[in-house]
Amino acid sequence: MWQRISCLIAGLVFCSPLVWAEQPESAPFAIAIHGGAGTIEKSSMTPEKERAYRGKLEEAINAGYRVLATGGSSLDAVVAAINILEDSPLFNAGKGAAYTYDGTHELDASIMDGRNRQAGAVAGVKHVANPIDLARMVMEDSPFVMLAGQGAEDFAKSRGVPMVDNQTFDTEQRRQQLERAKEKLDKENKQDKDYRAAVESLPEPFRMGTVGAVALDKQGNLAAGTSTGGMTAKRYGRIGDAPVIGAGTFADNESCAVSATGHGEYFIRYNVAADICARVAYQNKSVANAADEVINDILLPVGGTGGVIVLDSKGNLALTFNTKGMYRASRVAGQKPVIRIFAEH
């Protein structure tokens, strides 16, 4: 079932994006993924590039689905899907990570187990090829929830994780984005001497970009994970919502699993992922209604742009966003994958 939800950007109604809400009577397992939300328009994308994105989304959703279909855990499915997106230069995570202002890469990730609310996260790592794997190690092999920077990498080394050169994450597309972002930041900052306003003035592609997955396994357990290369031209060790449990990632078998993508500062301030699941748990809202309320009624009026993928323990899905597009895919037990990029009508 498709539910139409209106969206409002810059005071003008430009579309009615579709909240993807499949509600099968019985779904023993399901998975959804995203590759980021933002200004994604068909008119500005070549057919070759669109095929590349759709192909990688299909590869990732099928990898996670295979884990679930063979009785694997939701955690394994989330990691399998995100690994593929992290390894692709198409997305702002892992190989395609954004550049910091100084021309390096700082990666963040988090994961959460819906069975017991166990969670793990890493922030600001520079030499780990797949941060989602390290986040899971923090959850399963340490007494902590979040590790950052050198400490996170020291922990990785203690667990036998190989370190990679930071240049492993270099891509020409992201380098060009950095050059354009720095030029705009420096110009705005010179004119107004207001760094905050300069950052806020950056177009969406510079401020957004994340990958994530949510899954329900045959045992009825939910899991969620999120990984990102951060904001283009970020400085001072900035950390967004992706590694913050309750903001960018949340999972609880009693409510739902959420992975978010968007302008991270807003998702942190409004505790987006946990808020959606709280509405499901305490107000008996459907995942579609809860996601719509938070993304379109709470975030959008204050300038928060982005989206979420949400899955409950019955297999109900919502892939909701208030931007012009979101790379996304889902697959429910016994069905073929469904892949979308634009705000389709």
Side-chain angles (χ1 to χ4, degrees):
M1 178 179 68
W2 291 89
Q3 180 177 350
R4 188 174 299 276
I5 301 294
S6 295
C7 66
L8 185 65
I9 297 292
L12 296 175
V13 175
F14 73 87
C15 66
S16 294
L18 298 176
V19 175
W20 192 351
E22 298 178 6
Q23 298 180 324
E25 292 183 1
S26 177
F29 61 92
I31 184 169
I33 62 173
H34 70 77
T39 305
I40 306 167
E41 297 178 295
K42 195 174 185 67
S43 60
S44 61
M45 185 177 292
T46 66
E48 292 77 17
K49 192 171 184 179
E50 182 179 344
R51 282 196 296 271
Y53 277 107
R54 289 184 181 275
K56 191 57 62 174
L57 289 169
E58 183 172 14
E59 180 184 350
I61 197 72
N62 285 340
Y65 182 88
R66 283 193 296 271
V67 171
L68 298 172
T70 55
S73 72
S74 54
L75 286 169
D76 287 342
V78 162
V79 170
I82 291 178
N83 279 164
I84 288 172
L85 300 177
E86 286 178 327
D87 292 340
S88 170
L90 294 173
F91 303 97
N92 181 11
K95 174 61 179 173
Y99 284 82
T100 67
Y101 189 90
D102 296 324
T104 62
H105 308 277
E106 298 175 356
L107 286 64
D108 312 324
S110 64
I111 194 167
M112 190 166 184
D113 187 340
R115 295 175 301 174
N116 49 23
R117 289 202 185 188
Q118 290 294 309
V122 294
V125 297
K126 298 181 179 181
H127 303 97
V128 177
N130 295 103
I132 194 67
D133 293 344
L134 183 56
R136 185 173 184 179
M137 289 180 186
V138 172
M139 177 178 71
E140 296 179 337
D141 299 338
S142 87
F144 311 115
V145 171
M146 182 184 291
L147 300 179
Q150 187 59 52
E153 295 196 350
D154 289 343
F155 173 74
K157 293 174 185 176
S158 76
R159 308 308 299 168
V161 177
M163 298 291 103
V164 300
D165 193 287
N166 194 249
Q167 292 181 338
T168 299
F169 309 112
D170 288 357
T171 58
E172 184 58 29
Q173 175 189 358
R174 303 297 180 195
R175 186 181 297 278
Q176 291 176 7
Q177 284 185 343
L178 173 64
E179 292 172 357
R180 295 195 300 271
K182 288 181 69 173
E183 181 180 355
K184 184 170 180 60
L185 281 172
D186 293 345
K187 180 180 178 180
E188 294 282 344
N189 204 31
K190 185 176 181 180
Q191 289 176 342
D192 302 327
K193 299 189 182 303
D194 185 341
Y195 180 68
R196 178 172 182 170
V199 171
E200 292 286 348
S201 73
L202 288 174
E204 278 184 355
F206 299 120
R207 293 183 280 110
M208 302 165 69
T210 313
V211 305
V214 293
L216 169 69
D217 60 32
K218 290 184 177 182
Q219 293 71 47
N221 296 315
L222 291 165
T226 311
S227 182
T228 186
M231 176 189 290
T232 300
K234 67 178 181 178
R235 305 178 78 176
Y236 314 121
R238 178 264 185 186
I239 297 169
D241 66 302
V244 180
I245 301 303
T249 302
F250 194 79
D252 186 343
N253 283 1
E254 298 304 313
S255 55
C256 61
V258 180
S259 176
T261 173
H263 192 166
E265 279 67 20
Y266 290 91
F267 283 71
I268 294 171
R269 287 162 51 198
Y270 287 87
N271 200 35
V272 166
D275 188 9
I276 290 171
C277 290
R279 291 166 189 260
V280 172
Y282 304 128
Q283 297 180 349
N284 295 316
K285 298 284 179 66
S286 69
V287 290
N289 287 339
D292 175 52
E293 287 177 355
V294 174
I295 296 300
N296 288 311
D297 297 340
I298 304 298
L299 274 188
L300 193 57
V302 297
T305 53
V308 290
I309 52 175
V310 190
L311 173 63
D312 69 16
S313 58
K314 296 180 181 178
N316 299 315
L317 284 163
L319 289 79
T320 308
F321 53 98
N322 59 25
T323 57
K324 292 186 177 181
M326 181 170 76
Y327 299 106
R328 60 205 190 275
S330 77
R331 191 169 182 186
V332 175
Q335 299 182 20
K336 294 181 179 179
V338 181
I339 298 156
R340 298 283 187 268
I341 296 177
F342 312 106
E344 305 183 41
H345 300 271

